Amino acid sequence: MDFRNADLSEVDFSYSNLAGFDFTDTNLREATGILVTWDKTTVFPTSELDGSIFALPVALERRIRDDCRAQDWLTRVGRLGAAEKILWSADQLRAGAPHNDAALPVAQDLFWKSGAPFLQSQLLFFLSPRMSDDQIREMLNASPSHNAASGALVRNALDIAIRRRMIGDGDIRAMTRSLLQSKDTAVRERALRVLSRHRPSVDDVSAVYRAIEQHPNLGATYVLETARAWASNIWSNLRPD
């Protein structure tokens, strides 16, 4: 499929299989989506990927390809079990650790390619303090695109966004709105609560209404969140100055 020179910025690719797609010179800025799949036949040369779900994995692939030390450690650590991968990452991500220079791309690659929700959640926990806001943004955008069915991973990712005061970021909000399409009830409810509790925009509310139309049971959660916000406002107005 040829999408050369196309403008696909802010497109939601949820549940898409992009194997064989050619995105040469394509604008994919802020593209979002959950459970999006692609492989080595998907072409991204000279694409604009800022703020998209593709930014982290494409950058990782290029960095590790050019870093022999990271390649070596990725091979070694890749043979370990889940617990050992977590322990190695936690230890080597420390400032001054002997393999600290290779630990970040290795742990990021393990995170991205793992299909194990617990491993991903734990790696994200240890990675987040060592990453800049831009790196966190890429990680949070990529994580649900790869495994949106994981409640533990989504909860951890959104909690990190809240703690880092990034939940108002446009890319993060778009990612959270995409989670409303998840097949997992807990993930949908968590996304709705986060959107409702952090100054929902018109786009957020529209996305919530669409999600409720598809998943009527989500309506009860929205009513509770609306009542909570209303009660909170009333209480704030009653408190003495």
Side-chain angles (χ1 to χ4, degrees):
M1 187 73 68
D2 188 348
F3 280 100
R4 291 170 175 252
N5 303 300
D7 184 358
L8 301 178
S9 57
E10 301 184 25
V11 168
D12 188 332
F13 287 99
S14 293
Y15 299 102
S16 298
N17 184 346
L18 304 180
F21 281 50
D22 184 350
F23 293 114
T24 302
D25 293 326
T26 301
N27 181 3
L28 290 165
R29 291 174 180 269
E30 301 181 19
T32 61
I34 60 174
L35 292 179
V36 184
T37 58
W38 66 89
D39 58 24
K40 293 180 179 179
T41 66
T42 310
V43 180
F44 291 102
T46 62
S47 300
E48 298 179 60
L49 304 176
D50 292 351
S52 76
I53 57 176
F54 309 107
L56 172 68
V58 171
L60 264 180
E61 181 182 354
R62 292 170 181 169
R63 177 174 179 180
I64 291 175
R65 181 186 59 204
D66 299 333
D67 188 339
C68 294
R69 184 173 170 78
Q71 290 177 28
D72 179 52
W73 276 107
L74 187 57
T75 300
R76 295 190 198 185
V77 179
R79 299 191 186 105
L80 303 176
E84 289 80 8
K85 289 175 181 175
I86 294 169
L87 290 173
W88 183 90
S89 299
D91 183 52
Q92 296 304 318
L93 284 167
R94 291 181 298 106
H99 309 300
N100 179 264
D101 57 332
L104 183 60
V106 169
Q108 285 179 311
D109 196 74
L110 291 172
F111 167 86
W112 171 248
K113 294 181 178 176
S114 171
F118 177 75
L119 175 58
Q120 285 186 307
S121 181
Q122 291 300 301
L123 287 173
L124 185 58
F125 175 80
F126 288 111
L127 278 164
S128 58
R130 280 81 177 178
M131 300 171 72
S132 67
D133 283 352
D134 286 342
Q135 290 172 321
I136 284 287
R137 185 180 294 104
E138 290 181 352
M139 180 72 84
L140 297 183
N141 283 336
S143 56
S145 73
H146 188 51
N147 191 357
S150 167
L153 174 60
V154 167
R155 183 170 57 252
N156 199 356
L158 292 176
D159 285 348
I160 288 170
I162 293 169
R163 288 198 302 272
R164 294 286 286 260
R165 301 181 184 276
M166 298 175 66
I167 201 62
D169 179 270
D171 298 339
I172 301 299
R173 297 295 277 217
M175 176 271 288
T176 308
R177 289 195 294 269
S178 292
L179 292 171
L180 293 170
Q181 302 177 43
S182 173
K183 296 178 180 178
D184 186 275
T185 301
V187 170
R188 293 195 302 269
E189 290 182 348
R190 177 60 175 163
L192 187 149
R193 289 193 175 97
V194 168
L195 291 172
S196 298
R197 295 181 183 185
H198 295 86
R199 298 183 180 180
S201 66
V202 173
D203 289 340
D204 295 337
V205 174
S206 296
V208 167
Y209 285 165
R210 289 195 299 272
I212 292 173
E213 288 179 356
Q214 298 173 4
H215 308 283
N217 290 340
L218 201 58
T221 303
Y222 183 63
V223 170
L224 288 174
E225 287 301 317
T226 302
R228 175 185 173 278
W230 179 80
S232 178
N233 288 334
I234 292 295
W235 175 251
S236 297
N237 292 331
L238 289 175
R239 287 186 299 178
D241 294 333

